Amino acid sequence: MSGLRILVPVKRVIDYAVKPRVNRAQTAVETTGVKHSMNPFDELSIEEAVRLRERKTQPVEEILAFTAGPIKSQDMLRTAMAIGADRGIHVFVDDKSPELEPLGVAKLLKKVVEENKNNLVILGKQSIDDDAGQTGQMLAGLLNWPQATQASKVEIKNGSVEVTKEVDGGVETVRAKLPMVITTDLRLNEPRFATLPNIMRAKKKPLEKKTLKDYGLDVEPRLKTLKVTEPPPRKGGVKVEDVDGMIGKLKELGAL
């Protein structure tokens, strides 16, 4: 069995600590002047790829970080390379263009996998901006590869992949042969910080720049956003004196 050639897609999103705001036109979430960072689930993915190399249970030939987005998305690739990725590919998508939908991203990743002969894709189970949670499954379908979603533990040895994930009431373990697609969940690991020396080294690692035209794909949006609005404010709670009062209030609200 040859070594692992791991593809790790990463995405630039609004920082998880920032409260999103709807723009004045109510067409999207406001992104101008808002702090961005790497999607937290993608941080888990790049960390797990590096840990697979460090465990040495299966040789890792290459860890390739990939992103599609505006110029500033390259910062996510540099961060991934500072953590341990060997090189990066940036597909430029103008920030004024419609955002790529999960199917378009999956088609793009399929091309990247075929071009770079990857045999393992590790990606976040979802991005925290649209929360679609679809790309990994669509990619596995397009590649006709086995998949394991929401991984909380990954073990690879002799080309066999064993993934543990949390399910209602316990954990589930699945096993498959490479090639494979894995999506990551929050309990998988604790991502490391990129140290200053590694950040400096990352600047010298190869970063390939491409456009959507290089892949010849139809990634036109199939959905149209009609309107984006803030959720209605929550109503204040009501205090009750005792259990009987609580039961009476629940009956009044029609909950019992």
Side-chain angles (χ1 to χ4, degrees):
M1 177 68 195
S2 61
L4 296 172
R5 297 185 59 82
I6 307 174
L7 172 64
V8 183
V10 297
K11 186 177 183 181
R12 179 177 180 266
V13 299
I14 293 177
D15 189 86
Y16 73 93
V18 174
K19 182 180 179 181
R21 295 178 292 107
V22 176
N23 62 20
R24 291 185 178 181
Q26 293 189 322
T27 56
V29 171
E30 183 61 66
T31 57
T32 304
V34 178
K35 181 182 177 183
H36 285 67
S37 60
M38 186 186 297
N39 180 47
F41 292 102
D42 300 339
E43 291 180 350
L44 299 167
S45 301
I46 190 66
E47 174 67 26
E48 192 62 23
V50 175
R51 291 191 185 196
L52 287 173
R53 169 176 278 164
E54 293 172 344
R55 289 175 198 147
K56 299 180 180 179
T57 55
Q58 178 100 18
V60 175
E61 292 182 12
E62 181 183 63
I63 299 173
L64 170 61
F66 171 88
T67 195
I71 292 294
K72 290 184 179 180
S73 296
Q74 292 181 19
D75 295 341
M76 306 304 105
L77 291 178
R78 293 298 182 191
T79 300
M81 289 189 283
I83 293 172
D86 301 303
R87 62 187 179 97
I89 296 177
H90 174 221
V91 175
F92 175 72
V93 179
D94 194 315
D95 54 5
K96 295 181 181 179
S97 301
E99 186 173 357
L100 291 173
E101 293 177 353
L103 180 58
V105 176
K107 289 179 178 179
L108 187 54
L109 291 175
K110 179 177 182 287
K111 288 282 189 179
V112 174
V113 166
E114 293 170 345
E115 185 179 89
N116 294 275
K117 297 179 171 56
N118 300 108
N119 54 12
L120 177 63
V121 182
I122 306 177
L123 68 163
K125 70 171 185 177
Q126 64 195 78
S127 59
I128 63 171
D129 49 4
D130 59 15
D131 280 328
Q134 299 173 345
T135 303
Q137 293 89 325
M138 288 179 170
L139 176 60
L142 292 172
L143 290 169
N144 196 28
W145 286 6
Q147 62 175 305
T149 58
Q150 301 176 334
S152 59
K153 184 178 180 181
V154 177
E155 294 181 319
I156 303 178
K157 190 174 182 180
N158 298 325
S160 178
V161 185
E162 188 170 284
V163 176
T164 301
K165 57 181 181 177
E166 295 182 0
V167 295
D168 291 342
V171 296
E172 179 181 83
T173 302
V174 296
R175 185 182 294 116
K177 292 287 187 181
L178 292 171
M180 190 174 183
V181 175
I182 298 173
T183 69
T184 59
D185 208 349
L186 289 176
R187 297 186 190 274
L188 178 59
N189 58 49
E190 184 71 31
R192 70 193 71 188
F193 290 103
T195 62
L196 182 58
N198 286 337
I199 291 173
M200 299 306 293
R201 292 189 192 101
K203 292 181 179 181
K204 298 180 181 179
K205 291 184 177 180
L207 197 161
E208 191 175 355
K209 301 173 184 178
K210 294 195 171 189
T211 65
L212 289 172
K213 291 181 179 179
D214 294 327
Y215 293 96
L217 290 172
D218 174 19
V219 292
E220 286 299 314
R222 299 174 179 232
L223 301 174
K224 182 180 180 181
T225 300
L226 301 180
K227 190 177 183 182
V228 180
T229 59
E230 296 276 359
R234 295 181 62 181
K235 296 180 180 179
V238 177
K239 290 185 178 180
V240 294
E241 296 295 330
D242 49 30
V243 175
D244 290 338
M246 180 182 70
I247 294 173
K249 193 64 179 177
L250 290 173
K251 287 181 178 179
E252 180 183 327
L253 294 172
L256 289 178

